[in-house]
Amino acid sequence: MADDERTVDGASTLVPTPGTGRQHRAGRAGTPPGTRAQWVTAVGQVSGLLLALRQVETEGAVLPPPLARGTALRAWSAVTRPVLRDPERLTGTDARVMDLAMVERAARVLGRSLCRAWVIGGGDVVVSVLRREATVHACGPERLVAQVARVHGALTSDDGRGARMVWDALDG
C-alpha cells in the first residue's frame, strides 16, 4: 500500500485547536491508564482547585482566561466525566476537542503563574489559590498543575503506551 493510500484512524487525527493555529490530538480509543482511585484523586484535586478559583472570582478577583467565568471548570468536567462514569468504554474522542484544548490552556496558565511566582517571588491570586488548595490536598502546588497536564496528556495520547508514560511520569 502506498503512503497516500493509507487509511486514517479518526481517533488519532490531528484537528485544529480553535483560535490558536496549532494542531491538537483528538484523542485515542481505549481504557485510560491509572486506577480508578488515581483518577478520582486527580479529578477531585483539580476540581477543588478550579472551584476555589471560581469562588475567588465571585468575590471580585480577576482571573486570566481560560480560568475566568468558570470556563476551565466546565471544560474539565466535560473531559473527566466520561472517565468517572465508565472508564472501560472511554475514548479520548468522547471529549470535545474544544474542551480538551481549554484544559490544555488552563494547565499552561496555571503553570505559567506558578513559574512567574518562583522567579519574581510572591504571586498573583492564581498562585495564592494554588498554594491554599495544595495545602488542603497535602501536596505541592506543582502537583496540582501536573494533575491537569497528566489528565490532558493521558486523554490525548495517540496510543495506550504513550498515555501510560504520561500518566506514570507524575509518580515516577
Side-chain angles (χ1 to χ4, degrees), residues 139-161:
C139 66
E142 305 83 6
R143 182 160 185 96
L144 295 179
V145 175
Q147 289 285 37
V148 181
R150 174 191 226 185
V151 168
H152 179 271
L155 292 177
T156 57
S157 176
D158 286 341
D159 58 39
R161 182 172 167 225

PDB file of all heavy atoms in Angstrom, residues 139-161:
ATOM      1  N   CYS A 139      -0.143  18.435  49.289  1.00  0.00           N
ATOM      2  CA  CYS A 139       0.810  18.273  48.200  1.00  0.00           C
ATOM      3  C   CYS A 139       1.339  19.647  47.829  1.00  0.00           C
ATOM      4  O   CYS A 139       0.934  20.656  48.411  1.00  0.00           O
ATOM      5  CB  CYS A 139       0.144  17.606  46.988  1.00  0.00           C
ATOM      6  SG  CYS A 139      -1.154  18.582  46.186  1.00  0.00           S
ATOM      7  N   GLY A 140       2.245  19.697  46.893  1.00  0.00           N
ATOM      8  CA  GLY A 140       2.754  20.981  46.425  1.00  0.00           C
ATOM      9  C   GLY A 140       1.863  21.545  45.331  1.00  0.00           C
ATOM     10  O   GLY A 140       1.153  20.791  44.651  1.00  0.00           O
ATOM     11  N   PRO A 141       1.889  22.841  45.125  1.00  0.00           N
ATOM     12  CA  PRO A 141       1.091  23.440  44.059  1.00  0.00           C
ATOM     13  C   PRO A 141       1.490  22.905  42.682  1.00  0.00           C
ATOM     14  O   PRO A 141       0.664  22.813  41.784  1.00  0.00           O
ATOM     15  CB  PRO A 141       1.345  24.942  44.190  1.00  0.00           C
ATOM     16  CG  PRO A 141       2.544  25.084  45.035  1.00  0.00           C
ATOM     17  CD  PRO A 141       2.651  23.857  45.869  1.00  0.00           C
ATOM     18  N   GLU A 142       2.753  22.520  42.546  1.00  0.00           N
ATOM     19  CA  GLU A 142       3.227  21.945  41.283  1.00  0.00           C
ATOM     20  C   GLU A 142       2.465  20.669  40.937  1.00  0.00           C
ATOM     21  O   GLU A 142       2.172  20.409  39.775  1.00  0.00           O
ATOM     22  CB  GLU A 142       4.724  21.624  41.353  1.00  0.00           C
ATOM     23  CG  GLU A 142       5.602  22.786  41.733  1.00  0.00           C
ATOM     24  CD  GLU A 142       5.683  23.035  43.244  1.00  0.00           C
ATOM     25  OE1 GLU A 142       5.145  22.233  44.038  1.00  0.00           O
ATOM     26  OE2 GLU A 142       6.278  24.055  43.621  1.00  0.00           O
ATOM     27  N   ARG A 143       2.141  19.890  41.955  1.00  0.00           N
ATOM     28  CA  ARG A 143       1.424  18.641  41.715  1.00  0.00           C
ATOM     29  C   ARG A 143       0.014  18.918  41.178  1.00  0.00           C
ATOM     30  O   ARG A 143      -0.472  18.192  40.319  1.00  0.00           O
ATOM     31  CB  ARG A 143       1.353  17.795  42.975  1.00  0.00           C
ATOM     32  CG  ARG A 143       0.643  16.459  42.701  1.00  0.00           C
ATOM     33  CD  ARG A 143       0.945  15.420  43.732  1.00  0.00           C
ATOM     34  NE  ARG A 143       0.355  14.158  43.363  1.00  0.00           N
ATOM     35  CZ  ARG A 143       0.989  13.185  42.722  1.00  0.00           C
ATOM     36  NH1 ARG A 143       2.255  13.342  42.380  1.00  0.00           N
ATOM     37  NH2 ARG A 143       0.390  12.055  42.432  1.00  0.00           N
ATOM     38  N   LEU A 144      -0.631  19.944  41.680  1.00  0.00           N
ATOM     39  CA  LEU A 144      -1.967  20.264  41.176  1.00  0.00           C
ATOM     40  C   LEU A 144      -1.916  20.652  39.704  1.00  0.00           C
ATOM     41  O   LEU A 144      -2.755  20.221  38.908  1.00  0.00           O
ATOM     42  CB  LEU A 144      -2.601  21.373  42.006  1.00  0.00           C
ATOM     43  CG  LEU A 144      -2.904  21.037  43.463  1.00  0.00           C
ATOM     44  CD1 LEU A 144      -3.510  22.241  44.159  1.00  0.00           C
ATOM     45  CD2 LEU A 144      -3.807  19.825  43.569  1.00  0.00           C
ATOM     46  N   VAL A 145      -0.919  21.446  39.338  1.00  0.00           N
ATOM     47  CA  VAL A 145      -0.753  21.813  37.930  1.00  0.00           C
ATOM     48  C   VAL A 145      -0.441  20.564  37.107  1.00  0.00           C
ATOM     49  O   VAL A 145      -0.996  20.361  36.021  1.00  0.00           O
ATOM     50  CB  VAL A 145       0.356  22.874  37.758  1.00  0.00           C
ATOM     51  CG1 VAL A 145       0.610  23.166  36.290  1.00  0.00           C
ATOM     52  CG2 VAL A 145       0.003  24.151  38.515  1.00  0.00           C
ATOM     53  N   ALA A 146       0.417  19.720  37.637  1.00  0.00           N
ATOM     54  CA  ALA A 146       0.785  18.492  36.931  1.00  0.00           C
ATOM     55  C   ALA A 146      -0.411  17.552  36.761  1.00  0.00           C
ATOM     56  O   ALA A 146      -0.497  16.834  35.759  1.00  0.00           O
ATOM     57  CB  ALA A 146       1.915  17.782  37.672  1.00  0.00           C
ATOM     58  N   GLN A 147      -1.331  17.544  37.711  1.00  0.00           N
ATOM     59  CA  GLN A 147      -2.528  16.700  37.574  1.00  0.00           C
ATOM     60  C   GLN A 147      -3.356  17.122  36.361  1.00  0.00           C
ATOM     61  O   GLN A 147      -3.902  16.289  35.646  1.00  0.00           O
ATOM     62  CB  GLN A 147      -3.392  16.758  38.839  1.00  0.00           C
ATOM     63  CG  GLN A 147      -2.817  16.053  40.038  1.00  0.00           C
ATOM     64  CD  GLN A 147      -2.910  14.534  39.981  1.00  0.00           C
ATOM     65  OE1 GLN A 147      -2.761  13.908  38.945  1.00  0.00           O
ATOM     66  NE2 GLN A 147      -3.155  13.939  41.131  1.00  0.00           N
ATOM     67  N   VAL A 148      -3.457  18.424  36.135  1.00  0.00           N
ATOM     68  CA  VAL A 148      -4.195  18.909  34.969  1.00  0.00           C
ATOM     69  C   VAL A 148      -3.510  18.406  33.699  1.00  0.00           C
ATOM     70  O   VAL A 148      -4.154  17.858  32.799  1.00  0.00           O
ATOM     71  CB  VAL A 148      -4.291  20.453  34.944  1.00  0.00           C
ATOM     72  CG1 VAL A 148      -5.088  20.924  33.738  1.00  0.00           C
ATOM     73  CG2 VAL A 148      -4.883  20.989  36.231  1.00  0.00           C
ATOM     74  N   ALA A 149      -2.190  18.587  33.629  1.00  0.00           N
ATOM     75  CA  ALA A 149      -1.432  18.160  32.455  1.00  0.00           C
ATOM     76  C   ALA A 149      -1.467  16.646  32.292  1.00  0.00           C
ATOM     77  O   ALA A 149      -1.550  16.129  31.170  1.00  0.00           O
ATOM     78  CB  ALA A 149       0.005  18.647  32.565  1.00  0.00           C
ATOM     79  N   ARG A 150      -1.443  15.917  33.387  1.00  0.00           N
ATOM     80  CA  ARG A 150      -1.473  14.459  33.361  1.00  0.00           C
ATOM     81  C   ARG A 150      -2.762  13.948  32.724  1.00  0.00           C
ATOM     82  O   ARG A 150      -2.729  13.089  31.844  1.00  0.00           O
ATOM     83  CB  ARG A 150      -1.363  13.951  34.799  1.00  0.00           C
ATOM     84  CG  ARG A 150      -1.517  12.477  34.966  1.00  0.00           C
ATOM     85  CD  ARG A 150      -1.662  12.131  36.436  1.00  0.00           C
ATOM     86  NE  ARG A 150      -0.813  11.020  36.785  1.00  0.00           N
ATOM     87  CZ  ARG A 150      -0.810  10.438  37.968  1.00  0.00           C
ATOM     88  NH1 ARG A 150      -1.574  10.906  38.940  1.00  0.00           N
ATOM     89  NH2 ARG A 150      -0.036   9.415  38.208  1.00  0.00           N
ATOM     90  N   VAL A 151      -3.869  14.457  33.173  1.00  0.00           N
ATOM     91  CA  VAL A 151      -5.156  14.014  32.632  1.00  0.00           C
ATOM     92  C   VAL A 151      -5.260  14.392  31.160  1.00  0.00           C
ATOM     93  O   VAL A 151      -5.647  13.568  30.320  1.00  0.00           O
ATOM     94  CB  VAL A 151      -6.329  14.592  33.455  1.00  0.00           C
ATOM     95  CG1 VAL A 151      -7.656  14.389  32.748  1.00  0.00           C
ATOM     96  CG2 VAL A 151      -6.351  13.949  34.840  1.00  0.00           C
ATOM     97  N   HIS A 152      -4.891  15.622  30.837  1.00  0.00           N
ATOM     98  CA  HIS A 152      -4.944  16.049  29.440  1.00  0.00           C
ATOM     99  C   HIS A 152      -4.062  15.151  28.577  1.00  0.00           C
ATOM    100  O   HIS A 152      -4.478  14.682  27.523  1.00  0.00           O
ATOM    101  CB  HIS A 152      -4.509  17.505  29.304  1.00  0.00           C
ATOM    102  CG  HIS A 152      -4.521  17.974  27.896  1.00  0.00           C
ATOM    103  ND1 HIS A 152      -3.420  17.852  27.076  1.00  0.00           N
ATOM    104  CD2 HIS A 152      -5.503  18.519  27.140  1.00  0.00           C
ATOM    105  CE1 HIS A 152      -3.720  18.314  25.874  1.00  0.00           C
ATOM    106  NE2 HIS A 152      -4.970  18.726  25.894  1.00  0.00           N
ATOM    107  N   GLY A 153      -2.845  14.905  29.016  1.00  0.00           N
ATOM    108  CA  GLY A 153      -1.917  14.074  28.249  1.00  0.00           C
ATOM    109  C   GLY A 153      -2.400  12.651  28.073  1.00  0.00           C
ATOM    110  O   GLY A 153      -2.261  12.065  27.002  1.00  0.00           O
ATOM    111  N   ALA A 154      -2.971  12.085  29.116  1.00  0.00           N
ATOM    112  CA  ALA A 154      -3.468  10.713  29.024  1.00  0.00           C
ATOM    113  C   ALA A 154      -4.648  10.612  28.060  1.00  0.00           C
ATOM    114  O   ALA A 154      -4.787   9.617  27.338  1.00  0.00           O
ATOM    115  CB  ALA A 154      -3.878  10.204  30.409  1.00  0.00           C
ATOM    116  N   LEU A 155      -5.485  11.626  28.026  1.00  0.00           N
ATOM    117  CA  LEU A 155      -6.663  11.588  27.149  1.00  0.00           C
ATOM    118  C   LEU A 155      -6.347  11.937  25.701  1.00  0.00           C
ATOM    119  O   LEU A 155      -7.129  11.618  24.814  1.00  0.00           O
ATOM    120  CB  LEU A 155      -7.745  12.532  27.677  1.00  0.00           C
ATOM    121  CG  LEU A 155      -8.389  12.125  28.992  1.00  0.00           C
ATOM    122  CD1 LEU A 155      -9.396  13.183  29.428  1.00  0.00           C
ATOM    123  CD2 LEU A 155      -9.047  10.763  28.891  1.00  0.00           C
ATOM    124  N   THR A 156      -5.231  12.581  25.455  1.00  0.00           N
ATOM    125  CA  THR A 156      -4.921  12.990  24.086  1.00  0.00           C
ATOM    126  C   THR A 156      -3.764  12.215  23.474  1.00  0.00           C
ATOM    127  O   THR A 156      -3.396  12.473  22.332  1.00  0.00           O
ATOM    128  CB  THR A 156      -4.603  14.502  24.019  1.00  0.00           C
ATOM    129  OG1 THR A 156      -3.521  14.789  24.894  1.00  0.00           O
ATOM    130  CG2 THR A 156      -5.825  15.331  24.380  1.00  0.00           C
ATOM    131  N   SER A 157      -3.208  11.279  24.195  1.00  0.00           N
ATOM    132  CA  SER A 157      -2.111  10.475  23.669  1.00  0.00           C
ATOM    133  C   SER A 157      -2.592   9.619  22.500  1.00  0.00           C
ATOM    134  O   SER A 157      -3.747   9.194  22.452  1.00  0.00           O
ATOM    135  CB  SER A 157      -1.556   9.580  24.771  1.00  0.00           C
ATOM    136  OG  SER A 157      -0.555   8.740  24.248  1.00  0.00           O
ATOM    137  N   ASP A 158      -1.681   9.356  21.576  1.00  0.00           N
ATOM    138  CA  ASP A 158      -2.019   8.562  20.388  1.00  0.00           C
ATOM    139  C   ASP A 158      -2.274   7.096  20.687  1.00  0.00           C
ATOM    140  O   ASP A 158      -2.990   6.428  19.957  1.00  0.00           O
ATOM    141  CB  ASP A 158      -0.882   8.626  19.366  1.00  0.00           C
ATOM    142  CG  ASP A 158      -0.828   9.941  18.659  1.00  0.00           C
ATOM    143  OD1 ASP A 158      -1.837  10.660  18.669  1.00  0.00           O
ATOM    144  OD2 ASP A 158       0.229  10.252  18.085  1.00  0.00           O
ATOM    145  N   ASP A 159      -1.654   6.589  21.733  1.00  0.00           N
ATOM    146  CA  ASP A 159      -1.778   5.157  21.991  1.00  0.00           C
ATOM    147  C   ASP A 159      -1.708   4.881  23.486  1.00  0.00           C
ATOM    148  O   ASP A 159      -1.385   5.757  24.276  1.00  0.00           O
ATOM    149  CB  ASP A 159      -0.681   4.378  21.254  1.00  0.00           C
ATOM    150  CG  ASP A 159       0.728   4.823  21.632  1.00  0.00           C
ATOM    151  OD1 ASP A 159       0.978   5.119  22.816  1.00  0.00           O
ATOM    152  OD2 ASP A 159       1.581   4.879  20.736  1.00  0.00           O
ATOM    153  N   GLY A 160      -2.014   3.655  23.853  1.00  0.00           N
ATOM    154  CA  GLY A 160      -2.016   3.269  25.259  1.00  0.00           C
ATOM    155  C   GLY A 160      -0.660   3.393  25.919  1.00  0.00           C
ATOM    156  O   GLY A 160      -0.561   3.770  27.082  1.00  0.00           O
ATOM    157  N   ARG A 161       0.404   3.089  25.182  1.00  0.00           N
ATOM    158  CA  ARG A 161       1.747   3.171  25.747  1.00  0.00           C
ATOM    159  C   ARG A 161       2.103   4.616  26.077  1.00  0.00           C
ATOM    160  O   ARG A 161       2.630   4.924  27.147  1.00  0.00           O
ATOM    161  CB  ARG A 161       2.755   2.583  24.774  1.00  0.00           C
ATOM    162  CG  ARG A 161       4.156   2.582  25.311  1.00  0.00           C
ATOM    163  CD  ARG A 161       5.082   1.815  24.387  1.00  0.00           C
ATOM    164  NE  ARG A 161       6.436   2.086  24.770  1.00  0.00           N
ATOM    165  CZ  ARG A 161       7.409   2.368  23.939  1.00  0.00           C
ATOM    166  NH1 ARG A 161       7.179   2.379  22.647  1.00  0.00           N
ATOM    167  NH2 ARG A 161       8.617   2.621  24.375  1.00  0.00           N
TER     168      ARG A 161
END
